[in-house]
Amino acid sequence: TCEETGVFLDGVVSKNPRDDSTAGTHLDVTFYGRSGSPFAEQVADFTPQEIPARFRGVGGRARYRVRVDHPLTAIGRIEVRAHESAHP
C-alpha cells in the first residue's frame, strides 16, 4: 500500500481454531534482492492477539502491517513467516 507516510506491506494471518491466543506468535518479514539473496529482515506486529471467547474454535484472522523502508526497485521478493518462538 502506498500512502503519504510511506509504503506498507499489509496482510492477514489466520489462526489455528484450537488456539485462544496468538500472543506468542511472531511474524518475520524477509526482503530478498533481485539476485535472490536476503538483505533485510523485520518483525511484524499483528492484532488482535487475544482471541475473544465468542471467536474461539473459529478460524479467526488478524491483520499485520509493516513499513517498507527499502527502495521498491531493490526488492525481488518478500517472504512472511509466522512462528511461535521468541526473538533474540
Side-chain angles (χ1 to χ4, degrees), residues 1 4 12 14 19 21-24 26 32 36-37 49 51 54 62-63 66 71 76 80 85:
T1 306
E4 286 184 20
V12 176
S14 296
D19 295 337
S21 173
T22 56
H26 298 88
Y32 293 85
S37 299
Q49 289 191 332
I51 310 301
R54 66 183 181 170
R63 297 195 171 279
V66 176
V80 180
S85 60

Side-chain angles (χ1 to χ4, degrees), residues 10-67:
D10 296 305
V12 176
V13 177
S14 296
K15 77 168 188 71
N16 184 330
R18 295 184 309 271
D19 295 337
D20 59 2
S21 173
T22 56
T25 304
H26 298 88
L27 297 178
D28 291 327
V29 181
T30 304
F31 295 88
Y32 293 85
R34 300 229 177 255
S35 67
S37 299
F39 68 86
E41 187 169 294
Q42 292 177 235
V43 176
D45 291 322
F46 60 96
T47 57
Q49 289 191 332
E50 293 298 321
I51 310 301
R54 66 183 181 170
F55 293 117
R56 292 179 189 165
V58 177
R61 294 181 178 193
R63 297 195 171 279
Y64 66 86
R65 175 171 254 215
V66 176
R67 182 183 179 94

Side-chain angles (χ1 to χ4, degrees), residues 1-9 65-69 72:
T1 306
C2 292
E3 299 178 0
E4 286 184 20
T5 57
V7 176
F8 296 88
L9 173 67
R65 175 171 254 215
V66 176
R67 182 183 179 94
V68 178
D69 292 325
L72 296 181

